[in-house]
Amino acid sequence: MTTVENEKPQYKYIGADRKRVEDPRLLVGRGGYIADLKLPGLLHAAILRSPVPHATIRSIDATEALKLPGVVAVVTGEDCKAHMNPCMNFGPSSIPQFPLAVDKVRYVGEAVAAVIAESRYIAEDAVELLEVEFDDLPAVTNPVAAMEPGAALLHEGHGSNIGYERTFEFGEVAEAFSGADLVVEDTLHWGRSAGMPMETSGAVARPGLNGVLEIFCNSLNFSYFSFLIAGALKLPSNRLTMNPVPAGGSFGSKFTAHKVPTLAGFLALRTGRPVSYVEDRLDHLMNSDHHASDRYYDAKMGFTSEGIITGLDVDVVDDYGAYMQFGVGTHGNAFSQIVGPYGFRNVKYHLRAVLTNKCQQGAYRGFGSEVHNWVLERLIDKAAAELGLAPEEIRRRNFIQNDQFPYKIPGGNVYDSGNYPAVLDKALGMIDLEHWRKEQKRLREEEGRYIGIGLATTQERSVFSATEFWALNDNPDFPLTSSPESATVTIDPTGQFQLLLHCQSMWGNSPETVGTTVLAEEFGIEPETVNVSYADTARALPGTGPGGSRYTVMLAGAVRGASRKLQRKLVDIAAHTLEVAPEDLELVDARVQVTGAPEKSLSLAELASTAYFFALNMPPGMESGLEESFTYDHPYTTLPAADRSDLGVFYPIMGHACHIAVMEVDPDTGRTSFLDYVAVHDAGTMVNPKSLGGHVTGGAAQGLGSTLYEELAYDDEGQFKSSTFLDYLVPTANEVPPFRLGHVETPSPFTEYGIKGGGEGGRMVTPSVVSAAIDDALREYGMRVRELPVKPADIVATVQASIARG
């Protein structure tokens, strides 16, 4: 059960706790997901995946597979190489990737060949008949070992297993540590996990007349990059139309899931028939579009004797797997909030992105900033313990203060607004920390039970700027600066509203609820009366789609912009009809009225009727109809400096959160359980507390999974060990505690209505707070969480080692 404490809403509809308008069709099973799509003559694909981590492909014999009745074709990487370009890639061009492996395989699970058949069952059976000869190569799974001379080389054309290396330094780092009274250091490892949506990535491609290819897929934001998929398929961009299909969950895993639609499109072009390819769960676990961060840190932080942070020095080795499709964007996210909510000025960050024989890496809720936050909070907790300060006190002493906003952090990003002490105070007020500290002592002394209290804070950056993708590179191949979003609002002749969205956004951020709420706020109509639809890429205006907690802010800006254009037209028509000046009119509750004289007014239906059917009753020269579009560009972004001494403003909309958890830990079994958990978030002006609460709850549950359960594991030989949900443990309702939620609102000065993003905050802080609580529970045993996920066996081993030492 979730308890929500929120501030009184400022607006009539924005801030009101309303049911999502998306839910009715989803609850009755009419979501229309990709696997539901059936087309006449549809073929199905199944994939043969590599059983070995690193090998050259000597031969692929499809003779027996092609004999199986119903098999239409077998396609290999050589076919891809001959007939298409490499897939889209934001990493080094010297590390190309095709949807099927060319020449050699680089990790267990990499796609080797595709069978296309009349049914998925036949295709799967035919995959078993393919005969592939591999010549094994040495595999490297440890990123540190991968950097050593003589290590097996993944990409000969790149010439090294280091995909990216650079040291960034801001401020006076050496002085910050030489003058510190205390320096805490730690070696930390954030293990590999990933988003696990209910429906995996999938696409259905259909060749049409005149060389047109149509692709239906549940990848996100493809209106932003559909031309890149067309380029990979060697199609003119105006010959490819991509149609949005409900995502079925993403959490980053489908952010740019491009290989599945690219492969489905390629197979359709090769066969000349519609082809469906939907990952099964094994496909998704071992070779989803990407796994998430897998990082090794040597980190240290300097402090004064009063607990004031003087500087941060981070050396991170990031295991990127076999490809770098996203460049080092996840570290750009870390840079956006490099100091967390704290006001220190000196930062050094040495990054090495390393290639290994594992699945490639990409987005997952938090997009890498959650990892950096865990490192920050781990160091601060260690310093607090050594300085004898309470966790809340050391944080309070270092917070950026309210009168410092907008606040420019080292590196150049700007935080828009915040009230971090208020968030901390609200969380403390909700949980009664004094009571739990007394209980901690009593339970230990009277019942031999070990409970711990964890407290952690986090920033939650939102609304990425496109400069993020290349700001860490001196010479980017593709220096994007635009990341807009568009909306089209139509009022029909009877005064009813249509809202057209211009990207694939049918996922957890409730875009239809957001869009209809904004329309309701602007026109005084009921949100549920608005009909929402989605444009395909042939008709879409500029859009970037969801990701980086941007969509609520950007969609609200786009809908409000289109609304304001329509309002001006409505007022002009009313002014002409009522024979008053436009400045004497106002729009109130779906009517345009004379200010202060509501009896002299016209309804939206009356004005819409005039706009469509009575041109002679409108102002001279005005066009008939009521439809307006608006493209909302990023509200505040700047370019990086040429020498990257300043990375520019690229994530200025900054939320904040504080979580406090009370946990019990059994030192004999390592079992953990929650006694209480509060989560207070500041996402600026809330659009809908119910949907924001869902974001926080879901994100925190996923953070809990990354902390205690979920691990995409490989053994030393590169074999994948997490190929089922029996091996990859996703927390269920039995493991997720009842979060008690609270909210503080500090509106952004840069966005419409002051909205900030809130989609990732839950996962940003849960790993830190749970790690701290486990440490606190078993402090007498020297417990220190340094690696995630922390498993029961790790906890027991620490306790047993402590007992053995006496």
Side-chain angles (χ1 to χ4, degrees):
M1 181 176 293
T2 296
T3 300
V4 178
E5 297 183 9
N6 55 341
E7 305 294 329
K8 182 179 179 181
Q10 180 183 355
Y11 304 98
K12 182 176 181 180
Y13 295 97
I14 291 177
D17 208 359
R18 303 177 68 90
K19 293 180 179 178
R20 300 195 328 148
V21 301
E22 293 91 341
D23 286 344
R25 69 175 185 272
L26 301 177
L27 291 172
V28 299
R30 302 190 65 181
Y33 298 106
I34 190 68
D36 298 328
L37 185 60
K38 310 299 179 188
L39 299 175
L42 186 65
L43 299 174
H44 298 265
I47 303 298
L48 171 69
R49 300 193 176 278
S50 173
V52 295
H54 199 191
T56 55
I57 302 171
R58 182 191 298 175
S59 64
I60 300 175
D61 186 349
T63 305
E64 296 303 315
L66 289 169
K67 291 179 182 177
L68 192 67
V71 171
V72 174
V74 174
V75 174
T76 69
E78 290 301 319
D79 298 311
C80 294
K81 185 178 179 181
H83 299 288
M84 63 181 293
N85 295 316
C87 292
M88 58 181 281
N89 175 26
F90 294 131
S93 57
S94 52
I95 308 175
Q97 187 176 19
F98 287 87
L100 301 173
V102 175
D103 299 330
K104 72 173 188 175
V105 293
R106 295 177 172 85
Y107 62 95
V108 169
E110 184 166 13
V112 175
V115 175
I116 306 98
E118 298 290 346
S119 76
R120 181 67 179 254
Y121 301 102
I122 296 172
E124 294 282 0
D125 288 345
V127 164
E128 299 295 322
L129 299 176
L130 292 173
E131 294 183 6
V132 183
E133 291 185 310
F134 295 103
D135 289 331
D136 288 341
L137 296 169
V140 58
T141 57
N142 183 313
V144 175
M147 294 187 288
E148 297 294 329
L153 193 61
L154 269 79
H155 295 273
E156 290 74 10
H158 185 68
S160 167
N161 287 333
I162 299 177
Y164 178 94
E165 180 174 14
R166 181 157 179 170
T167 300
F168 295 87
E169 187 165 342
F170 306 103
E172 305 294 336
V173 178
E175 290 80 354
F177 281 94
S178 63
D181 297 311
L182 170 70
V183 175
V184 294
E185 301 182 52
D186 221 337
T187 300
L188 302 164
H189 175 220
W190 176 286
R192 180 178 284 241
S193 57
M196 292 294 152
M198 290 290 287
E199 185 171 63
T200 56
S201 296
V204 175
R206 175 168 60 185
L209 300 176
N210 303 321
V212 171
L213 178 67
E214 192 174 18
I215 300 178
F216 302 80
C217 72
N218 58 13
S219 174
L220 300 178
N221 74 6
F222 46 67
S223 59
Y224 200 43
F225 58 75
S226 61
F227 71 98
L228 294 174
I229 292 179
L233 295 172
K234 294 188 175 182
L235 286 175
S237 59
N238 65 346
R239 292 291 190 271
L240 173 64
T241 298
M242 300 188 73
N243 296 285
V245 175
S250 169
F251 319 110
S253 69
K254 297 171 184 167
F255 179 53
T256 57
H258 57 95
K259 292 189 290 294
V260 165
T262 303
L263 178 61
F266 183 68
L267 300 179
L269 291 173
R270 297 302 296 165
T271 59
R273 291 177 58 179
V275 174
S276 169
Y277 175 59
V278 182
E279 293 176 334
D280 61 21
R281 189 56 64 181
L282 177 62
D283 290 325
H284 187 80
L285 278 163
M286 64 168 35
N287 186 69
S288 56
D289 188 69
H290 52 259
H291 293 165
S293 297
D294 186 355
R295 299 183 184 174
Y296 297 80
Y297 286 86
D298 287 312
K300 62 181 180 180
M301 184 175 268
F303 292 84
T304 69
S305 59
E306 290 77 32
I308 304 302
I309 304 168
T310 62
L312 172 69
D313 189 342
V314 169
D315 186 347
V316 53
V317 173
D318 200 338
D319 185 345
Y320 262 75
Y323 299 94
M324 293 187 66
Q325 60 182 356
F326 235 133
V328 291
T330 57
H331 291 273
N333 280 259
F335 272 100
S336 72
Q337 51 185 75
I338 194 82
V339 295
Y342 311 117
F344 62 96
R345 306 300 310 168
N346 307 299
V347 177
K348 184 178 180 181
Y349 196 99
H350 180 209
L351 166 62
R352 284 168 287 179
V354 183
L355 299 159
T356 65
N357 292 110
K358 299 177 184 173
C359 180
Q360 63 270 5
Q361 188 188 116
Y364 184 29
R365 206 168 193 165
F367 208 88
S369 55
E370 80 285 12
V371 190
H372 181 75
N373 192 70
W374 180 68
V375 173
L376 272 183
E377 296 295 282
R378 289 278 71 200
L379 293 172
I380 289 172
D381 279 332
K382 188 173 186 180
E386 295 193 22
L387 291 167
L389 293 173
E392 63 271 25
E393 179 59 25
I394 194 170
R395 288 171 171 84
R396 194 185 298 278
R397 292 185 184 186
N398 284 282
F399 277 156
I400 298 165
Q401 297 302 302
N402 302 357
D403 60 0
Q404 292 179 281
F405 295 104
Y407 181 84
K408 184 173 182 176
I409 67 169
N413 194 38
V414 165
Y415 296 171
D416 56 350
S417 64
N419 187 341
Y420 306 151
V423 173
L424 176 61
D425 288 343
K426 190 172 185 71
L428 291 171
M430 289 173 62
I431 202 162
D432 195 352
L433 205 55
E434 183 177 352
H435 160 76
W436 280 113
R437 284 180 173 151
K438 289 179 180 176
E439 276 294 280
Q440 183 180 35
K441 185 173 185 295
R442 185 189 70 79
L443 290 171
R444 177 74 189 94
E445 293 175 351
E446 297 180 7
E447 301 181 22
R449 294 168 60 187
Y450 294 77
I451 72 168
I453 303 164
L455 182 152
T457 64
T458 188
Q459 300 300 81
E460 188 192 359
R461 83 283 173 272
S462 59
V463 194
F464 70 80
S465 160
T467 59
E468 178 204 359
F469 295 126
W470 54 266
L472 302 187
N473 297 311
D474 285 332
N475 298 299
D477 294 331
F478 205 58
L480 294 163
T481 60
S482 296
S483 44
E485 205 58 57
S486 300
T488 300
V489 178
T490 305
I491 305 176
D492 74 11
T494 67
Q496 300 299 312
F497 283 71
Q498 297 275 351
L499 173 62
L500 179 66
L501 306 181
H502 293 269
C503 70
Q504 212 292 22
S505 53
M506 292 175 277
W507 63 334
N509 55 8
S510 312
E512 296 172 28
T513 299
V514 171
T516 56
T517 300
V518 172
L519 279 177
E521 196 66 51
E522 291 293 315
F523 291 95
I525 59 174
E526 289 300 314
E528 293 77 10
T529 64
V530 180
N531 187 54
V532 184
S533 57
Y534 295 82
D536 60 38
T537 57
R539 298 162 183 81
L541 294 171
T544 311
S549 296
R550 69 183 296 277
Y551 200 68
T552 297
V553 171
M554 299 302 293
L555 179 60
V559 173
R560 193 181 209 189
S563 298
R564 293 298 162 93
K565 293 167 73 173
L566 273 175
Q567 288 170 5
R568 284 194 290 273
K569 188 168 185 178
L570 290 169
V571 167
D572 286 344
I573 295 173
H576 186 75
T577 304
L578 297 173
E579 298 182 334
V580 298
E583 55 268 27
D584 292 332
L585 295 174
E586 60 182 354
L587 200 164
V588 179
D589 293 336
R591 302 184 73 83
V592 178
Q593 64 184 33
V594 175
T595 304
E599 70 280 4
K600 195 172 184 180
S601 65
L602 294 167
S603 69
L604 291 183
E606 291 172 311
L607 293 166
S609 174
T610 299
Y612 280 91
F613 301 127
F614 301 98
L616 297 181
N617 292 351
M618 291 199 296
M622 180 175 283
E623 294 179 356
S624 295
L626 286 173
E627 178 173 290
E628 294 290 352
S629 296
F630 189 82
T631 297
Y632 182 69
D633 282 304
H634 195 284
Y636 175 30
T637 183
T638 64
L639 288 168
D643 62 359
R644 300 304 188 265
S645 59
D646 185 318
L647 300 174
V649 178
F650 57 98
Y651 249 129
I653 317 304
M654 193 59 66
H656 179 72
C658 176
H659 289 201
I660 305 175
V662 182
M663 299 180 66
E664 181 166 3
V665 185
D666 185 333
D668 295 324
T669 65
R671 181 177 183 273
T672 58
S673 56
F674 288 89
L675 304 181
D676 201 358
Y677 196 118
V678 300
V680 176
H681 283 246
D682 176 5
T685 301
M686 287 189 288
V687 176
N688 187 329
K690 188 183 297 295
S691 58
L692 179 59
H695 273 312
V696 173
T697 301
Q702 288 184 308
L704 185 61
S706 298
T707 309
L708 295 173
Y709 304 105
E710 299 179 39
E711 182 181 28
L712 292 163
Y714 293 82
D715 66 16
D716 292 341
E717 284 71 45
Q719 280 298 328
F720 187 62
K721 308 298 286 186
S722 306
S723 55
T724 74
F725 278 160
L726 290 175
D727 308 299
Y728 186 84
L729 304 177
V730 178
T732 69
N734 291 321
E735 288 79 41
V736 177
F739 300 111
R740 294 194 295 125
L741 308 184
H743 298 284
V744 170
E745 295 183 83
T746 60
S748 173
F750 303 138
T751 68
E752 300 296 325
Y753 307 105
I755 300 168
K756 301 180 180 181
E760 297 162 276
R763 189 168 179 267
M764 301 283 288
V765 66
T766 312
S768 302
V769 74
V770 171
S771 296
I774 293 172
D775 286 359
D776 189 48
L778 300 179
R779 196 172 300 279
E780 71 182 73
Y781 294 110
M783 185 72 205
R784 173 76 176 161
V785 173
R786 292 188 172 87
E787 182 170 28
L788 299 184
V790 55
K791 304 168 189 171
D794 301 329
I795 295 171
V796 172
T798 298
V799 171
Q800 293 299 317
S802 175
I803 294 172
R805 289 194 301 270

Short mmCIF file of all heavy atoms in Angstrom, two decimals, residues 6 8 97 99 225 240-241 273 298 336 342 354 385 415 455 479 505 534 588 630:
data_model
loop_
_atom_site.label_atom_id
_atom_site.label_comp_id
_atom_site.label_asym_id
_atom_site.label_seq_id
_atom_site.Cartn_x
_atom_site.Cartn_y
_atom_site.Cartn_z
N ASN A 6 0.84 15.02 -0.53
CA ASN A 6 1.21 16.00 -1.53
C ASN A 6 0.69 17.37 -1.16
O ASN A 6 -0.19 17.53 -0.33
CB ASN A 6 0.74 15.58 -2.92
CG ASN A 6 -0.73 15.32 -2.95
OD1 ASN A 6 -1.34 15.12 -1.91
ND2 ASN A 6 -1.30 15.34 -4.11
N LYS A 8 -1.10 21.08 -1.83
CA LYS A 8 -2.33 21.49 -2.48
C LYS A 8 -2.05 21.93 -3.91
O LYS A 8 -1.15 22.73 -4.16
CB LYS A 8 -2.93 22.67 -1.71
CG LYS A 8 -4.26 23.16 -2.27
CD LYS A 8 -4.79 24.30 -1.44
CE LYS A 8 -6.12 24.80 -2.01
NZ LYS A 8 -6.63 25.93 -1.22
N GLN A 97 28.29 -2.50 -36.25
CA GLN A 97 27.45 -3.62 -35.85
C GLN A 97 26.33 -3.82 -36.86
O GLN A 97 25.68 -2.86 -37.29
CB GLN A 97 26.84 -3.37 -34.45
CG GLN A 97 26.09 -4.57 -33.89
CD GLN A 97 25.58 -4.33 -32.47
OE1 GLN A 97 25.47 -3.20 -32.02
NE2 GLN A 97 25.30 -5.40 -31.75
N PRO A 99 22.76 -6.36 -37.65
CA PRO A 99 21.79 -7.12 -36.83
C PRO A 99 22.14 -8.60 -36.73
O PRO A 99 21.68 -9.28 -35.81
CB PRO A 99 20.46 -6.89 -37.53
CG PRO A 99 20.79 -6.46 -38.92
CD PRO A 99 22.10 -5.75 -38.81
N PHE A 225 14.97 8.96 -35.17
CA PHE A 225 16.08 8.34 -35.89
C PHE A 225 15.63 7.37 -36.98
O PHE A 225 16.44 6.56 -37.44
CB PHE A 225 17.03 7.62 -34.92
CG PHE A 225 16.38 6.54 -34.09
CD1 PHE A 225 16.03 5.33 -34.64
CD2 PHE A 225 16.13 6.74 -32.75
CE1 PHE A 225 15.45 4.33 -33.89
CE2 PHE A 225 15.54 5.75 -31.98
CZ PHE A 225 15.20 4.55 -32.55
N LEU A 240 10.44 4.77 -46.04
CA LEU A 240 10.27 3.99 -44.81
C LEU A 240 9.27 4.72 -43.91
O LEU A 240 9.45 5.90 -43.60
CB LEU A 240 11.60 3.85 -44.06
CG LEU A 240 11.50 3.21 -42.67
CD1 LEU A 240 11.03 1.76 -42.76
CD2 LEU A 240 12.84 3.28 -41.94
N THR A 241 8.23 4.01 -43.53
CA THR A 241 7.27 4.54 -42.56
C THR A 241 7.27 3.63 -41.34
O THR A 241 7.09 2.41 -41.47
CB THR A 241 5.85 4.60 -43.16
OG1 THR A 241 5.87 5.49 -44.27
CG2 THR A 241 4.86 5.10 -42.12
N ARG A 273 7.77 -10.30 -48.28
CA ARG A 273 6.53 -10.56 -47.57
C ARG A 273 6.61 -9.93 -46.18
O ARG A 273 7.70 -9.66 -45.68
CB ARG A 273 6.29 -12.07 -47.46
CG ARG A 273 5.95 -12.74 -48.78
CD ARG A 273 5.79 -14.25 -48.61
NE ARG A 273 4.75 -14.60 -47.65
CZ ARG A 273 4.42 -15.86 -47.36
NH1 ARG A 273 5.05 -16.86 -47.97
NH2 ARG A 273 3.47 -16.13 -46.48
N ASP A 298 37.37 3.01 -8.46
CA ASP A 298 38.25 3.41 -7.36
C ASP A 298 37.93 4.87 -7.13
O ASP A 298 38.18 5.72 -8.01
CB ASP A 298 39.73 3.22 -7.74
CG ASP A 298 40.12 1.75 -7.76
OD1 ASP A 298 39.78 1.04 -6.79
OD2 ASP A 298 40.74 1.32 -8.75
N SER A 336 25.98 15.17 -15.49
CA SER A 336 24.91 16.16 -15.31
C SER A 336 24.62 16.44 -13.85
O SER A 336 24.06 17.47 -13.52
CB SER A 336 23.64 15.70 -16.02
OG SER A 336 23.04 14.63 -15.32
N TYR A 342 25.16 18.38 -3.53
CA TYR A 342 26.15 18.96 -2.62
C TYR A 342 26.95 20.06 -3.33
O TYR A 342 27.20 20.01 -4.53
CB TYR A 342 27.07 17.87 -2.09
CG TYR A 342 26.29 16.68 -1.57
CD1 TYR A 342 26.40 15.42 -2.16
CD2 TYR A 342 25.39 16.83 -0.51
CE1 TYR A 342 25.66 14.34 -1.70
CE2 TYR A 342 24.65 15.75 -0.04
CZ TYR A 342 24.79 14.51 -0.65
OH TYR A 342 24.04 13.44 -0.19
N VAL A 354 35.44 0.02 -21.80
CA VAL A 354 36.21 -1.14 -22.25
C VAL A 354 35.31 -2.16 -22.94
O VAL A 354 34.18 -2.41 -22.51
CB VAL A 354 36.93 -1.79 -21.05
CG1 VAL A 354 37.79 -2.97 -21.52
CG2 VAL A 354 37.78 -0.76 -20.32
N ALA A 385 30.43 7.98 9.08
CA ALA A 385 30.77 7.02 10.13
C ALA A 385 32.11 7.37 10.77
O ALA A 385 32.28 7.30 12.00
CB ALA A 385 30.80 5.61 9.55
N TYR A 415 21.66 23.48 -12.27
CA TYR A 415 20.45 23.00 -11.58
C TYR A 415 19.46 24.16 -11.52
O TYR A 415 19.80 25.25 -11.08
CB TYR A 415 20.77 22.58 -10.14
CG TYR A 415 21.71 21.41 -9.96
CD1 TYR A 415 22.20 21.11 -8.69
CD2 TYR A 415 22.09 20.59 -11.01
CE1 TYR A 415 23.04 20.03 -8.46
CE2 TYR A 415 22.93 19.52 -10.80
CZ TYR A 415 23.41 19.24 -9.52
OH TYR A 415 24.25 18.18 -9.30
N LEU A 455 19.73 6.05 5.00
CA LEU A 455 19.21 7.34 4.51
C LEU A 455 20.09 7.77 3.35
O LEU A 455 21.32 7.74 3.44
CB LEU A 455 19.23 8.37 5.64
CG LEU A 455 18.68 9.77 5.34
CD1 LEU A 455 18.14 10.41 6.62
CD2 LEU A 455 19.73 10.72 4.72
N PRO A 479 27.14 15.95 -34.15
CA PRO A 479 26.90 16.87 -33.01
C PRO A 479 25.49 17.45 -32.98
O PRO A 479 25.25 18.61 -33.32
CB PRO A 479 27.95 17.96 -33.23
CG PRO A 479 28.13 18.01 -34.72
CD PRO A 479 27.93 16.59 -35.20
N SER A 505 5.15 6.92 -27.73
CA SER A 505 5.26 7.28 -26.32
C SER A 505 4.29 6.52 -25.46
O SER A 505 4.02 6.92 -24.35
CB SER A 505 5.03 8.78 -26.18
OG SER A 505 3.83 9.14 -26.80
N TYR A 534 -1.69 8.87 -32.44
CA TYR A 534 -0.24 8.97 -32.64
C TYR A 534 0.08 9.03 -34.14
O TYR A 534 -0.50 8.28 -34.93
CB TYR A 534 0.47 7.76 -32.02
CG TYR A 534 0.34 7.71 -30.52
CD1 TYR A 534 -0.80 7.19 -29.91
CD2 TYR A 534 1.36 8.19 -29.70
CE1 TYR A 534 -0.93 7.15 -28.53
CE2 TYR A 534 1.24 8.15 -28.32
CZ TYR A 534 0.09 7.63 -27.74
OH TYR A 534 -0.03 7.60 -26.38
N VAL A 588 -12.67 30.91 -20.01
CA VAL A 588 -12.96 30.34 -18.70
C VAL A 588 -13.91 29.16 -18.87
O VAL A 588 -15.00 29.32 -19.45
CB VAL A 588 -13.60 31.40 -17.76
CG1 VAL A 588 -13.92 30.76 -16.40
CG2 VAL A 588 -12.67 32.59 -17.58
N PHE A 630 2.44 22.67 -32.54
CA PHE A 630 3.51 23.43 -31.91
C PHE A 630 4.67 22.48 -31.63
O PHE A 630 4.49 21.36 -31.16
CB PHE A 630 3.04 24.06 -30.60
CG PHE A 630 4.02 25.02 -30.01
CD1 PHE A 630 4.08 26.34 -30.46
CD2 PHE A 630 4.90 24.63 -29.00
CE1 PHE A 630 4.99 27.25 -29.91
CE2 PHE A 630 5.81 25.52 -28.45
CZ PHE A 630 5.86 26.84 -28.91
#
